[in-house]
Amino acid sequence: MEAEEELAPGVTARFGAVVVERAAPELIACCLDARAGFVWFDRRSRMCLATPCPRAVARRLAVVPVDFGFRPVRGVAQVPILEPDGSLFFSGYHARTRTFVATDPLELPERPTRADAGAALEAILAPFAGYGLEDPERRACTACAVLTAASRPSVPTTPVILVDATTIGAGKSKYARAIATIASGSGFVILAEGHSPDEMEKRLYAVLMRVPAAFILDNLQRSLASSTLESLITEGTTNIRIFGTLDTVDVEACSTVIVTANNSILRTDMLRRVLPVRLVVLNEQPERRRFDFDPVDVAHKRRREILAAAFTVLR
C-alpha cells in the first residue's frame, strides 16, 4: 500500500514527495535557534544571558530574504535541467531557473544516431505499452507527455497534461501516476476536485504553495475552468492569498500538472493550454480487464532509463 500524507483537506502527498514550505517567521526562528546563539545583556547581573531568536529578526528575514543573501527557489527539480547548449545540470542550485536540483547523473550518448533516437522512443513509451499505442495520435501524445514531464523545470511554462478517457476503468489514473512518477521519482501530490469551484481553487492554493515536482488533479467531474491554473500555465506564476490573512504572494511553479477525467469539458481559455491524451476503450466492461504489468511500477523501476531516453531526444 502506498503511504500518503494529507497536506490539506482533499490534498494528499505520496511518501517521498518533496515539497517546499513557506518560510514563516516562526520556522525561521526555530532554524536560527538551532544554528546560532542569541544573547541579551542583563543590566541587573551585568551578564550576557542566552535568549531565543528575537521575533523581529525572524520577521525581517521572512520579508526581505534576498537582502541577507538568501536565493529565491522556484521549486525542487527531481529531473536534470537542460541547458541551452544541450548540457545537463544534475545537482545543486540552478541560478537561471531558480531551482534546486536533486537528481543523479545520467549516461547519454555523446552523438545520438537515428538508431539511438528510435531506442529512446521505445524506452519512453515502455510504461504505457497497454494503452493502445498502435494509434499514432495516442503514441505521439504519450511521448510528448513524457518529454513534458522530463523537461518541466527547464522551461518557464508547459501545458497541462490532460488524460481523458471515454469511460471509467480505462486506466487513466495509472497513466497519470506513471507520468508523475517520471517527473518526481517516488513522490507526487494528488488533488481531489472538491464540492465547488471555490473549494478547488483553495486546494490548488494549498498545492501550489508547496511547489511539488508533479501533482495530479484526479477524476475531474466538472468543466476544467481555473483562473489559477490558466495563469500558471501561461505566465509561469500566479497570485495566491495566504490562508487566514489578507496577504497575497506571487508563486512561481515548476510542477508538472496532470488532470484526469472522463469525457472532459474544457473552458475555452483552457483549450490551448492542455496536451490532451485520449484513452479510448471499446470493451463494455473495461474494469474487468487484466494486465500483466503495472505502468507505475514500470515507470518507477525504469525511471533512470526513461529520463536518459527523454533527454537523448530533447538534446
Side-chain angles (χ1 to χ4, degrees):
M1 181 177 178
E2 297 171 349
E4 295 182 346
E5 175 189 0
E6 187 175 46
L7 300 179
V11 180
T12 57
R14 283 192 51 186
F15 177 76
V18 178
V19 296
V20 176
E21 289 289 348
R22 181 171 174 267
E26 294 77 13
L27 177 60
I28 293 173
C30 287
C31 292
L32 289 176
D33 282 334
R35 291 166 175 79
F38 293 88
V39 296
W40 66 284
F41 182 71
D42 180 28
R43 293 183 178 179
R44 180 176 299 177
S45 64
R46 303 187 65 81
M47 296 178 61
C48 290
L49 304 178
T51 184
C53 170
R55 291 299 180 263
V57 173
R59 283 195 296 270
R60 186 174 179 188
L61 276 172
V63 173
V64 285
V66 178
D67 290 354
F68 294 88
F70 290 95
R71 295 172 292 188
V73 176
R74 177 169 162 246
V76 178
Q78 293 175 281
V79 295
I81 299 293
L82 180 63
E83 300 285 19
D85 63 0
S87 62
L88 296 177
F89 183 89
F90 293 104
S91 181
Y93 182 77
H94 189 260
R96 177 175 63 84
T97 60
R98 301 185 302 283
T99 304
F100 187 83
V101 185
T103 188
D104 296 324
L106 302 173
E107 294 184 5
L108 277 68
E110 193 64 34
R111 295 180 179 274
T113 63
R114 189 176 185 85
D116 291 331
L121 179 60
E122 293 306 314
I124 286 171
L125 298 174
F128 311 98
Y131 284 94
L133 296 185
E134 60 275 4
D135 177 77
E137 181 179 339
R138 193 172 307 126
R139 183 180 178 87
C141 288
T142 298
C144 287
V146 175
L147 294 177
T148 297
S151 63
R152 177 63 191 97
S154 302
V155 294
T157 60
T158 56
V160 168
I161 300 170
L162 173 62
V163 186
D164 187 35
T166 55
T167 183
I168 60 172
K172 60 185 181 299
S173 292
K174 286 284 189 181
Y175 187 107
R177 283 161 172 76
I179 294 290
T181 297
I182 294 168
S184 65
S186 60
F188 47 84
V189 173
I190 301 171
L191 169 66
E193 182 179 21
H195 57 78
S196 69
D198 287 344
E199 178 64 22
M200 188 178 84
E201 289 292 291
K202 291 177 182 178
R203 294 180 180 185
L204 276 173
Y205 291 173
V207 172
L208 294 176
M209 286 290 288
R210 291 170 170 85
V211 202
F215 70 87
I216 302 171
L217 175 54
D218 207 16
N219 285 313
L220 184 72
Q221 302 295 319
R222 293 186 295 272
S223 170
L224 180 55
S226 168
S227 298
T228 301
L229 270 184
E230 289 170 4
S231 174
L232 186 72
I233 298 163
T234 304
E235 305 296 335
T237 183
T238 189
N239 188 263
I240 291 176
R241 184 170 67 85
I242 301 172
F243 294 123
T245 74
L246 297 178
D247 298 330
T248 62
V249 293
D250 289 327
V251 174
E252 288 187 277
C254 57
S255 305
T256 298
V257 184
I258 309 165
V259 177
T260 69
N262 293 320
N263 300 309
S264 61
I265 301 173
L266 305 183
R267 190 162 72 179
T268 304
D269 285 347
M270 188 64 78
L271 285 172
R272 61 188 179 87
R273 294 179 168 94
V274 301
L275 169 62
V277 181
R278 182 71 166 165
L279 303 182
V280 179
V281 179
L282 302 178
N283 193 314
E284 292 184 357
Q285 295 179 312
E287 68 278 2
R288 294 194 174 185
R289 296 177 301 163
R290 294 292 180 266
F291 299 96
D292 58 359
F293 77 103
D294 183 336
V296 181
D297 187 53
V298 175
H300 180 70
K301 289 180 178 178
R302 298 183 61 178
R303 183 172 182 263
R304 283 179 55 81
E305 177 190 352
I306 293 168
L307 287 177
F311 283 103
T312 296
V313 173
L314 289 167
R315 292 172 72 199

